[in-house]
Every structure is written in C-alpha cells, then in structure tokens.
Amino acid sequence: MRCLRKRSTIPFLGFLITFLLFLNLYIEDGYVLEGDKRQLRETSAHPPSSERYVHTFRDLSNFSGTINVTYRYLAGTPLNRKKYLTIGLSSVKRKRGNYLLETIKSIFDQSSYEELKEIVVVVHLADFDLVWCENLVQEITRKFAHHIIAGRLLVIQAPEEYYPSLDGLKRNYNDPEDRVRFRSKQNVDYAFLLNFCTNLSHFYMMLEDDVRCSRNFLTALKKVITSREGSYWVMLEFSKLGYIGKLYHSKDLPRLAHFLLMFYQEMPCDWLLIHFRGLLAQKDVIRFKPSLFQHMGYYSSYKGAENKLKDDDFEEDSIDIPDNPPASLYTNINVFENYDATKAYSTVDEYFWGKPPSTGDFFVIVFNKSTKISKIKIATGSDDRQNDILHHGALEVGEKLVGTKKGKQCSSYITLGEFKNGNIEVQDVDHKIAFDIECVRIVVTAGQKEWLIIRSISLWTTQPPSQ
C-alpha cells in the first residue's frame, strides 16, 4: 500500500470552539489601536475591575475586534507607518538564566539595514515583579537605544488587573497545580501581546525569548510568502519547536487573541495554536526547511528546569530558500490520491506523486508573469521511495505563451539538460537563455514501470517577477 499523510484531528474542544469561531468567521476585520496607545509613554493602571475583564471575556460577538486593554509603555512608541513584519516576544523572570537580551540582539544583528526598516520587535514583559521589569527595561534601553528611537523596538506590559483568576484552574492532563497556573498565564500573556500587535504590520512572527536567528531571515520569509501568493494559509512554521517561528497574517491576530483567552486554562499554547489553525481550515502543517530560528535557552522559564531542545533543521548562515515565483502547474501524469502537482512546487515538506509515466508525458510550470531565472534545481524520489525517481527525462524552458484546451502552454521550448539519477541542477540559466522565461517543463523521455515522486522544484530568480 502507498503511504498517506496523517489527517490532523481536533478531538477535545471541537464542537464548542467550532461554534464560537464560525459564529464570527465572516465578520469583516475592522480594528485600530486605541489612540492613547500612540500618545502615551506610560499610562497608570485602571483600578482593579474583574467585572470589566469578565465583560471583555463574554463579548464573543466580535472576534475581529481588539480587546480593550490599556498597556503600559515601558520603552518606545509605535510609528504611524505599518511595517512588513512584527516580531513578538513575551518574557518573564526566570529562576535560572535570562536570554531575552541575546534574543533581541540576534534579531537585529542578523538583519541587514534594509531589512531593519521593515521590522518592529515588541517585547511583552509579562512578570508582575515591577522592580525586575524596571531593571530589565533600563538594560534594554541602554543596549538598544538607537533601535528604540528608530521605532524598531517597543517594550510593553499588560497590567495585572486585566488577567483572569489563576487560582483553582482545571487540572487537565494530570498536570500539577503550579504547572497549570504557569501555562494558563502564558496563554494570557501571548493573547495580550497578539492583541497589542494587531495593527503594527502586515505579518506577525511569534518567537520565544530564548532564540537565535538565521542571517537575513526576513528576506527568506519574504521569499516564502511570495511563493504562497494565491494559496490559503493561516500559520506558516519556520521552526518545529514550541512557539518559535510561527507566522500569521496580522488580520488574524484578534481572533487568535480571543481564542487564547477563551481557552487559556484548557491546554498549553502550542496545542491551542494547532486547534486554531485547524478550525480556520488549514488542516496540515506548513513547515519550511531549513529552520530560520533556533532554541538557545538551557533553562526553562518554568521552575528553571533544564530544556535542551534543539531544532536539527536550523541553519544559521546557509539559508538559500528558492524564490519560486507565482505560477500554475499542469501535468498529464496520472496523479495518485491528493499528491497533486502544486506540492512539488511548494517549499514545504510535501511532494507530487504520480503513477508510472509514459514517453512524452510532461509536468509544466506556467508563471503568472515572465521572469529571469538564475538557477533551477529539481529532485525526484524520496528517502523511503528511492526508486520512484524520473529515470529518463529532460528539463526545458519556454516562451510565447498560448491558450490550449488543457490550459496555458508555451509554444517554444529550449532544452537545458537531462536528469541524472533522478535529479537535475542548472546554474546561470539567465546567461544561457536570452528571453524572459514563461514556462519550465519536465518531459519524460522514456516510459518506466516505477511510480514518480517529484520531491521539489526550486527556482531562483535574478530579480523579482516583473510587475
């Protein structure tokens, strides 16, 4: 039997969560940050009011709106111009070790000057020890003053009176009481952080406060986002660990913030994120390799326990994610199950799988706009299906797009090379081809008995696709 991917399930909160979310799924996203957020460096806390919080918590008719919280501004203020990416960090006092300053430094050091223009980092100090917060803010201000002045770094705090009760919580999963309290508060910490970041940028990246970044990670993110244009996604993952490297559209942050608040005591945050993604109709994980972020903390923020988790897919200096400009994909090879053509062109861990191809069968990529390509790399087969490769095939590029009954095709092609052992890589394509490329085609030059897996199609452009 052929192996199939496992389907994700939503076993625990399915009915209740589905009812609440779908009640609001089609509400238009209209929201702004409160005006006083933009004007005040620091606001005094409102008098304790559990009734106000309960009112907010019960207001389930507007998942698209921000939660009414008055934040303390500990350092920096938001700029009027919306950035490309907000990076959110939530941090509390640890019993052993503190990695927040190293994480902030890594974000800035691993970004170019041009990338820094499109980034804003928001740190939520979610500890109620005000002396600790004040001392840490002084250290942050001293080390990153120029980033604060430039509007690239904000430090905020949601006052304690906005938090729900953290006593007498459900003991799900047989967790000890202090563990339940810790993870429940962490859900609320993230909810308030997400709520604050709603209108700062087009995209939002969730990180932990003990992370090291790869070089030029924003450029890699942009390539991936561009390659997903026209496809639906809720969460893209750039690390397989915890809350590290989870990317969202900023328009989804209000719903996610409400969601975490509603179920804050039910389960850990990373589990809730999986439920949220599934309920918004992204069934499968979309995770990219290599990972762009690495966990570096040795001691956990929970009781100072040792935490040696590492992402073995992380690469710090050799990030070379392909551009894969937007395109349509066609094939006349008989597709197996749902392993369709688009999965070969994705930069995530998925692939095209077809039944044995015949001579003359093709697999073609038709770009939305003609482009210059510098490198093409195609891999077939997989680790567990090493014989499902393209045994005999050629790689071609084409121009002069025409419409046919089976979709668009190029009327003129030039051969770049032959597949060897199921793979092909061609460098300096733009020096070998005089025209802007409109199609890339794989042609089967001899039939085979084996099935065909096209594991990855990777294209690098010399410039962004023409506008």
Side-chain angles (χ1 to χ4, degrees):
M1 292 182 62
R2 299 273 164 173
C3 298
L4 299 177
R5 294 180 180 273
K6 294 182 179 178
R7 293 173 177 259
S8 59
T9 59
I10 307 175
F12 180 60
L13 298 174
F15 175 77
L16 177 59
I17 301 173
T18 303
F19 173 77
L20 292 170
L21 280 182
F22 275 84
L23 190 66
N24 304 279
L25 191 57
Y26 299 104
I27 296 177
E28 181 179 352
D29 292 315
Y31 44 79
V32 294
L33 290 174
E34 295 88 343
D36 59 341
K37 288 184 189 175
R38 301 189 181 281
Q39 301 297 327
L40 299 179
R41 292 276 304 189
E42 179 175 337
T43 61
S44 58
H46 284 247
S49 173
S50 59
E51 290 183 2
R52 179 179 179 186
Y53 181 83
V54 170
H55 172 74
T56 300
F57 203 67
R58 288 176 178 171
D59 184 15
L60 305 182
S61 62
N62 185 17
F63 272 57
S64 297
T66 53
I67 301 160
N68 189 14
V69 177
T70 302
Y71 295 85
R72 295 191 180 108
Y73 279 67
L74 306 182
T77 53
L79 297 177
N80 291 325
R81 183 177 74 86
K82 184 177 284 191
K83 298 291 188 76
Y84 185 84
L85 179 71
T86 299
I87 300 171
L89 310 170
S90 182
S91 189
V92 296
K93 181 170 63 175
R94 295 171 182 255
K95 291 187 177 181
R96 304 171 70 183
N98 191 303
Y99 311 96
L100 176 61
L101 296 175
E102 293 177 62
T103 299
I104 297 172
K105 185 176 186 298
S106 180
I107 292 171
F108 292 139
D109 286 354
Q110 298 289 63
S111 302
S112 68
Y113 177 72
E114 291 301 319
E115 289 170 330
L116 288 175
K117 293 179 181 178
E118 296 300 323
I119 292 174
V120 57
V121 179
V122 178
V123 178
H124 179 207
L125 294 186
D127 201 284
F128 303 141
D129 183 338
L130 299 184
V131 174
W132 174 83
C133 290
E134 181 179 349
N135 291 336
L136 185 55
V137 169
Q138 288 178 2
E139 199 168 356
I140 291 173
T141 302
R142 184 174 68 253
K143 291 191 174 183
F144 304 106
H146 61 296
H147 292 297
I148 294 173
I149 293 170
R152 288 192 289 267
L153 177 60
L154 308 175
V155 184
I156 63 166
Q157 185 178 57
E160 184 176 3
E161 53 265 27
Y162 286 94
Y163 279 71
S165 174
L166 297 173
D167 296 320
L169 301 175
K170 290 182 181 180
R171 295 278 300 278
N172 292 342
Y173 313 110
N174 229 11
D175 279 350
E177 186 175 342
D178 61 343
R179 173 66 183 174
V180 172
R181 179 185 176 91
F182 172 83
R183 62 173 170 78
S184 298
K185 179 183 175 296
Q186 192 173 54
N187 284 332
V188 182
D189 295 342
Y190 278 115
F192 288 154
L193 173 61
L194 294 166
N195 182 66
F196 178 87
C197 295
T198 290
N199 209 38
L200 298 181
S201 61
H202 300 288
F203 299 96
Y204 174 85
M205 172 66 70
M206 179 180 287
L207 290 185
E208 295 183 13
D209 64 349
D210 54 354
V211 168
R212 188 168 81 252
C213 306
S214 67
R215 194 176 309 280
N216 302 119
F217 64 87
L218 179 62
T219 297
L221 284 175
K222 281 188 170 184
K223 285 186 177 183
V224 168
I225 292 170
T226 299
S227 74
R228 304 293 299 187
E229 282 182 6
S231 65
Y232 178 77
W233 59 271
V234 177
M235 179 173 72
L236 304 182
E237 303 187 24
F238 295 87
S239 172
K240 62 184 179 184
L241 301 178
Y243 326 123
I244 299 173
K246 306 302 185 275
L247 183 74
Y248 297 89
H249 297 277
S250 292
K251 66 182 181 181
D252 287 332
L253 297 186
R255 288 194 182 101
L256 182 53
H258 279 282
F259 184 81
L260 293 179
L261 280 180
M262 288 173 59
F263 301 104
Y264 74 101
Q265 63 176 309
E266 302 295 342
M267 60 183 67
C269 182
D270 49 346
W271 294 8
L272 286 173
L273 297 182
I274 295 171
H275 285 289
F276 181 79
R277 181 250 297 162
L279 287 164
L280 291 186
Q282 181 191 318
K283 294 190 300 181
D284 299 322
V285 172
I286 306 176
R287 185 168 73 84
F288 296 85
K289 296 181 182 179
S291 298
L292 301 181
F293 307 97
Q294 177 66 286
H295 179 259
M296 67 176 176
Y298 187 77
Y299 298 109
S300 169
S301 53
Y302 173 61
K303 283 188 170 182
E306 290 186 3
N307 182 0
K308 301 179 181 179
L309 286 176
K310 296 294 179 184
D311 188 335
D312 51 15
D313 293 323
F314 174 74
E315 294 181 14
E316 186 162 10
D317 294 309
S318 58
I319 298 303
D320 191 22
I321 292 178
D323 300 291
N324 283 17
S328 300
L329 287 89
Y330 308 95
T331 184
N332 64 345
I333 300 171
N334 194 355
V335 179
F336 173 64
E337 297 290 347
N338 63 337
Y339 294 87
D340 57 77
T342 60
K343 293 184 175 175
Y345 196 58
S346 168
T347 50
V348 300
D349 189 16
E350 54 187 10
Y351 49 83
F352 165 81
W353 204 353
K355 296 182 180 180
S358 303
T359 304
D361 283 352
F362 64 85
F363 187 108
V364 63
I365 303 161
V366 179
F367 299 128
N368 293 357
K369 298 173 182 177
S370 60
T371 187
K372 294 184 181 297
I373 295 177
S374 60
K375 184 172 75 170
I376 301 175
K377 182 178 180 181
I378 300 173
T380 67
S382 67
D383 290 340
D384 56 345
R385 298 279 176 179
Q386 296 184 17
N387 210 33
D388 285 6
I389 63 173
L390 181 57
H391 293 275
H392 304 281
L395 175 64
E396 303 174 338
V397 292
E399 62 174 340
K400 299 178 182 178
L401 203 60
V402 296
T404 69
K405 291 181 180 180
K406 296 183 179 180
K408 292 182 178 180
Q409 272 273 20
C410 285
S411 59
S412 174
Y413 284 94
I414 292 177
T415 300
L416 288 180
E418 303 286 330
F419 280 76
K420 294 181 180 179
N421 299 318
N423 302 316
I424 189 169
E425 180 173 341
V426 182
Q427 304 272 1
D428 301 320
V429 177
D430 51 324
H431 295 158
K432 299 171 182 176
I433 303 299
F435 53 83
D436 286 357
I437 295 171
E438 296 182 87
C439 305
V440 173
R441 186 169 69 174
I442 300 168
V443 178
V444 179
T445 54
Q448 61 188 58
K449 296 180 180 179
E450 296 80 12
W451 289 36
L452 173 62
I453 289 174
I454 301 180
R455 188 170 74 251
S456 63
I457 299 174
S458 302
L459 308 176
W460 286 262
T461 61
T462 56
Q463 61 185 27
S466 55
Q467 302 299 315

